[in-house]
């Protein structure tokens, strides 16, 4: 009984030398050449949506898995993130305001309006911080909790503080017509509000945390 080539004890057929698709042994003294598979002619290469900065760089986030448009955030996620952000900003401000009202008749208190002023300053500072986070990472605190991110529609990058501020002002358009702009993502193909359309932004789903 013959088992084939003694140098090939498992009986596997050796690929013929020079046949396309198999690595070629470089001549002695010539370094092997490495390359990438070529795209067939006439077939456009598939690119993932959005040129995300590498992880660890300013504004960088891991790219959404898969090629093409990443999953868009549905209306419920956006509402949940908005409610969380509003609670984080306005909750302490109103709480301090009620404390101020409760202490208004107490002559030993620090003075009327002090707690309200502290609450107002907190709300202003937290609002600016939220805008900074949304512009630099795509996520406010509420958006990070629910797992969504605001990105530029053209390339998937984060907005930056300036455009995040402009988008916040553009929400005026969402509320001017009976708040219909806030409901627009329910039936819009890209799930955009009027502010998103004006600023060319989309809200996508990203991993939480």
């Amino acid at each position: 009984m013959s088992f084939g080539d003694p140098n090939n004890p498992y009986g596997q057929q050796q690929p013929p030398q020079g046949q396309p698709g198999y690595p070629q042994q470089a001549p002695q003294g010539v370094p092997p050449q490495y390359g990438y598979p070529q795209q067939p002619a006439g077939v456009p290469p598939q690119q993932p949506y959005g040129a995300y900065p590498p992880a660890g760089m300013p504004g960088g986030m891991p790219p959404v898995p898969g090629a093409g448009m990443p999953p868009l955030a549905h209306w419920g996620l956006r509402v949940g993130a908005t409610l969380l952000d509003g609670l984080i900003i306005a909750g302490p401000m109103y709480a301090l305001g009620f404390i101020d009202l409760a202490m208004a008749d107490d002559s030993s208190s620090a003075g009327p309006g002090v707690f309200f002023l502290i609450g107002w300053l907190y709300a202003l500072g937290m609002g600016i911080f939220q805008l900074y986070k949304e512009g630099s990472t795509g996520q406010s605190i509420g958006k990070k909790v629910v797992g969504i991110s605001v990105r530029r529609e053209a390339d998937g990058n984060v907005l930056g503080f300036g455009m995040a501020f402009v988008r916040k002002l553009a929400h005026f358009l969402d509320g001017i017509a009976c708040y219909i702009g806030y409901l627009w993502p329910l039936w819009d193909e890209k799930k955009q509000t009027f502010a998103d359309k004006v600023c060319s932004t989309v809200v996508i789903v990203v991993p939480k945390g």
Side-chain angles (χ1 to χ4, degrees):
M1 180 182 295
S2 174
F3 292 90
D5 189 350
N7 295 325
N8 186 19
Y10 295 99
Q12 296 177 352
Q13 184 177 0
Q14 298 293 331
Q17 296 293 329
Q19 182 173 343
Y22 295 91
Q24 304 298 319
Q25 185 175 4
Q28 187 176 3
V30 179
Q33 302 295 319
Y34 299 93
Y36 296 95
Q38 301 297 321
Q39 186 79 12
V43 178
Q46 294 183 352
Q47 299 293 337
Y49 173 82
Y52 295 93
M57 295 187 65
M61 290 183 65
V64 177
M69 177 74 76
L72 297 169
H74 61 74
W75 187 77
L77 286 176
R78 297 183 64 156
V79 171
T82 300
L83 292 176
L84 283 174
D85 287 334
L87 182 62
I88 291 170
I89 293 174
M93 180 186 71
Y94 282 112
L96 290 170
F98 286 133
I99 293 175
D100 194 56
L101 289 175
M103 300 178 65
D105 296 332
D106 187 356
S107 59
S108 63
S109 63
V114 172
F115 286 98
F116 176 79
L117 178 61
I118 295 174
W120 185 85
L121 291 175
Y122 163 83
L124 178 62
M126 180 55 70
I128 295 174
F129 174 76
Q130 290 274 57
L131 275 178
Y132 166 76
K133 293 293 292 183
E134 187 170 298
S136 60
T137 68
Q139 295 179 298
S140 62
I141 297 176
K143 288 180 175 64
K144 188 172 184 178
V145 170
V146 302
I148 61 177
S149 179
V150 180
R151 299 299 179 106
R152 294 194 308 190
E153 183 181 359
D155 54 16
N157 281 319
V158 294
L159 307 184
F161 179 81
M163 183 53 67
F165 179 72
V166 171
R167 181 176 178 272
K168 186 66 67 176
L169 294 179
H171 279 307
F172 170 78
L173 301 174
D174 295 323
I176 195 174
C178 300
Y179 298 96
I180 192 67
Y182 289 110
L183 300 176
W184 204 261
L186 286 170
W187 53 78
D188 187 70
E189 180 182 4
K190 296 180 181 179
K191 297 181 173 25
Q192 292 175 306
T193 62
F194 294 161
D196 287 323
K197 292 185 178 299
V198 169
C199 298
S200 299
T201 57
V202 290
V203 180
I204 62 174
V205 177
V206 296
K208 296 180 181 181

